[in-house]
Amino acid sequence: MVQLLATIYQLLTTGSSCTKRELYYLHLELAQTPAYTYATLEDVCALLDADPWELHVYNTSKGLIAGPIVLTLSDGQRIDCNGRWGTAVPLDVGSVTEIRLAAKLVLVVEKDTVFKRLLEDGILSTFPDTLVLITAKGYPDVSTRLLLKKISDWTHVPIYGLMDADPHGIEIFCVYKFGSLAMVHQQRSLAVPTMRWIGLFPSDIELLGLQGVPLREGELKRIEQMTKRPYTEGHIQRELLLLRQLATKVEIESLYNIASDFITTVYLKGKLKECISLRQNVEEEHSVLR
């Protein structure tokens, strides 16, 4: 801990930074494994009542973002994310000082493959100035979650999640919305409680006649554990119970078996139209109350 404190002091006084992995290699003579370093870093963060990124220690960023959004960093650099194949989420999201967003909503997609396919299908052209697309390529990294949190807090644009209809996909949505069990002390800094799940629902499996894969024993046990968590009550719990009853999991890509453009022109079109309409109704109600 003393060694890490010394390194962090040096990072803060010099204005430099490092990744968690680099922190491990800086202390190879003491740290037996990377996990040993990461656990000690958590203790240091608890001691200083600070998040790792506030100490200039970052996780490696793996997220991608695409759409009408521009990020301005503390050094004046502007990152325009309106590229064709998406832009990497910055490693130091803490340095983002301004977010300019010209979209009505943000859609978080679980997997990189679906993210790329949606861009290939021209989803940003199909819904111009409507959405920003984000993926963390599976289980979300801290940088992607922190950027999503900033977008939510600073722009108040609604955020929606498109995940696989399986325990892993629902777990990932819960991490975005409620925070992870492993980082519960950082829940306030990373969780996006206003985020909504718009699919793929287990209830869509029979409704759309989707072909699934049987759930493994470990996945059925995970569903059992998830249904006991207090934050999964209501809609999430009902979908989890249905998933257990069906004992079948389905990936987002299965929608392409219906038609090559089904996910964009039918499934998401209906979902996004419903979300935008709901948002407009809420804004009108608030306007009347004011």
Side-chain angles (χ1 to χ4, degrees):
M1 285 183 70
V2 173
Q3 286 281 3
L4 287 191
L5 284 167
T7 301
I8 288 167
Y9 177 78
Q10 185 178 23
L11 293 175
L12 294 172
T13 53
T14 60
S16 54
S17 63
C18 73
T19 65
K20 289 173 67 175
R21 189 74 180 179
E22 288 170 336
L23 200 64
Y24 160 66
Y25 284 113
L26 286 172
H27 301 287
L28 279 175
E29 73 283 359
L30 290 177
Q32 301 169 352
T33 64
Y36 191 82
T37 302
Y38 304 158
T40 307
L41 177 62
E42 288 184 13
D43 290 341
V44 168
C45 289
L47 177 69
L48 300 178
D49 191 22
D51 293 314
W53 53 90
E54 294 177 307
L55 305 179
H56 292 196
V57 180
Y58 306 106
N59 288 70
T60 302
S61 176
K62 60 177 182 173
L64 294 172
I65 180 169
I69 182 172
V70 178
L71 310 176
T72 302
L73 307 184
S74 55
D75 60 1
Q77 180 186 355
R78 294 172 73 252
I79 302 175
D80 189 342
C81 305
N82 218 356
R84 184 180 179 186
W85 303 117
T87 303
V89 170
L91 179 65
D92 181 10
V93 177
S95 69
V96 175
T97 58
E98 183 185 7
I99 298 174
R100 295 179 61 187
L101 182 65
K104 298 175 182 176
L105 58 90
V106 173
L107 180 63
V108 180
V109 181
E110 177 185 344
K111 294 182 294 190
D112 181 36
T113 52
V114 177
F115 177 88
K116 290 179 178 176
R117 177 65 184 269
L118 289 174
L119 291 177
E120 286 175 1
D121 292 344
I123 190 170
L124 297 180
S125 300
T126 304
F127 306 103
D129 298 325
T130 299
L131 61 88
V132 163
L133 207 61
I134 294 180
T135 184
K137 302 179 183 178
Y139 196 89
D141 58 286
V142 169
S143 294
T144 304
R145 291 175 62 194
L146 190 56
L147 178 60
L148 201 64
K149 176 68 172 176
K150 283 196 170 188
I151 292 173
S152 175
D153 289 348
W154 293 5
T155 70
H156 302 292
V157 168
I159 298 174
Y160 303 98
L162 181 66
M163 314 290 164
D164 286 340
D166 66 11
H168 187 65
I170 300 173
E171 181 81 77
I172 286 175
F173 170 75
C174 289
V175 169
Y176 279 116
K177 184 175 177 70
F178 304 109
S180 67
L181 295 175
M183 302 175 67
V184 67
H185 59 289
Q186 294 169 353
Q187 179 177 330
R188 186 176 300 176
S189 303
L190 297 173
V192 183
T194 57
M195 184 173 173
R196 288 184 57 206
W197 181 26
I198 61 169
L200 187 67
F201 298 135
S203 55
D204 289 330
I205 296 175
E206 290 186 327
L207 181 67
L208 300 174
L210 302 175
Q211 198 67 30
V213 176
L215 289 170
R216 298 189 297 270
E217 187 62 33
E219 292 171 320
L220 290 169
K221 288 181 180 178
R222 177 182 283 191
I223 292 174
E224 189 69 30
Q225 294 169 352
M226 291 173 68
T227 56
K228 295 177 182 178
R229 298 175 191 171
Y231 58 72
T232 60
E233 61 184 5
H235 177 244
I236 297 176
Q237 189 175 75
R238 288 194 297 273
E239 292 291 343
L240 281 168
L241 292 173
L242 178 59
L243 185 64
R244 184 179 64 184
Q245 180 183 332
L246 295 172
T248 301
K249 60 182 178 180
V250 172
E251 296 184 334
I252 301 166
E253 291 92 330
S254 64
L255 294 172
Y256 292 116
N257 295 331
I258 299 175
S260 60
D261 62 347
F262 181 83
I263 188 170
T264 304
T265 61
V266 180
Y267 191 80
L268 280 179
K269 184 177 181 180
K271 296 281 187 179
L272 298 181
K273 185 178 179 180
E274 179 184 335
C275 292
I276 292 171
S277 176
L278 180 63
R279 177 72 174 181
Q280 289 173 342
N281 291 339
V282 171
E283 290 176 350
E284 287 174 3
E285 287 178 6
H286 287 171
S287 178
V288 170
L289 290 173
R290 283 198 297 266

